[in-house]
Amino acid sequence: MKRVYYSGFVPVNAYDNRLPALKQPPLVRENRLYQADWLLRFYQFQVDEIVNDAYPELDLEVDPKLSWALRNPQAFPVDVNKADYEMLLRVPGIGVKSAKMIVVSRRYSRLGTEQLKKIGVVMKKAQYFITCHELPVRTVNELTPEHVRHILTQKKGKKFDDRQLTLQFQE
């Protein structure tokens, strides 16, 4: 097969109570399946890196690539001026096209934040997982994966200053 199409669960009959009673399938689940498929086909990820025994389901709050990065903080930060193409593909916010452009561009000069933005890197996500000569040292290892997740999943309407110390209490 060349292409797989995913669809959310739609109940066909109302008389069988073994199936979940959903009014509308969660569309974000369908989106996460497509994102995971994309990682497998174009980003050189393996199935057990996306889902495994410890994480049997896709995270509905963040995309699979960001989820993998938050579970593997030991692989970061990645120096965009030195890292190989395969490792650049693993950085959230860097796509296939951007990774190729980074590899070509750094032959001519050292890359900074402005060059990365022009290339098309999504700095909102990537800034916590990369280093270059201009970025402050506030990577996933300094902030903790939980804090980075909190910053990236925050609703757009809320104002949040990520320079301020926040304490997260267990409920």
Side-chain angles (χ1 to χ4, degrees), residues 43-98:
Y43 288 77
Q44 303 168 1
F45 274 77
Q46 302 299 317
V47 174
D48 62 339
E49 292 176 303
I50 298 171
V51 291
N52 55 29
D53 292 338
Y55 301 95
E57 295 184 15
L58 294 174
D59 191 340
L60 297 181
E61 198 171 37
V62 296
D63 65 87
K65 189 176 185 183
L66 179 57
S67 178
W68 177 85
L70 292 173
R71 290 191 318 252
N72 296 285
Q74 71 279 2
F76 300 101
V78 172
D79 187 350
V80 292
N81 290 301
K82 296 178 184 174
D84 60 347
Y85 174 73
E86 290 77 21
M87 194 58 209
L88 288 172
L89 284 177
R90 304 242 165 190
V91 176
I94 298 180
V96 174
K97 204 175 189 183
S98 298

Side-chain angles (χ1 to χ4, degrees), residues 3-131:
R3 189 73 173 106
V4 177
Y5 294 94
Y6 300 102
S7 175
F9 170 74
V10 178
V12 183
N13 53 23
Y15 60 85
D16 191 354
N17 60 2
R18 292 178 294 171
L19 299 173
L22 294 176
K23 292 185 175 149
Q24 183 177 351
L27 296 178
V28 70
R29 173 87 173 138
E30 192 173 318
N31 187 28
R32 296 292 181 244
L33 289 170
Y34 278 109
Q35 289 171 333
D37 179 47
W38 203 259
L39 290 178
L40 293 171
R41 293 191 298 135
F42 299 110
Y43 288 77
Q44 303 168 1
F45 274 77
Q46 302 299 317
V47 174
D48 62 339
E49 292 176 303
I50 298 171
V51 291
N52 55 29
D53 292 338
Y55 301 95
E57 295 184 15
L58 294 174
D59 191 340
L60 297 181
E61 198 171 37
V62 296
D63 65 87
K65 189 176 185 183
L66 179 57
S67 178
W68 177 85
L70 292 173
R71 290 191 318 252
N72 296 285
Q74 71 279 2
F76 300 101
V78 172
D79 187 350
V80 292
N81 290 301
K82 296 178 184 174
D84 60 347
Y85 174 73
E86 290 77 21
M87 194 58 209
L88 288 172
L89 284 177
R90 304 242 165 190
V91 176
I94 298 180
V96 174
K97 204 175 189 183
S98 298
K100 287 179 183 176
M101 291 286 291
I102 288 170
V103 171
V104 171
S105 299
R106 67 185 181 192
R107 292 181 191 161
Y108 305 105
S109 68
R110 289 181 50 89
L111 299 174
T113 54
E114 289 304 313
Q115 291 85 3
L116 292 173
K117 286 178 186 176
K118 288 178 184 175
I119 286 172
V121 174
V122 180
M123 292 303 290
K124 179 182 176 187
K125 286 185 183 180
Q127 67 181 336
Y128 302 107
F129 302 97
I130 61 173
T131 59

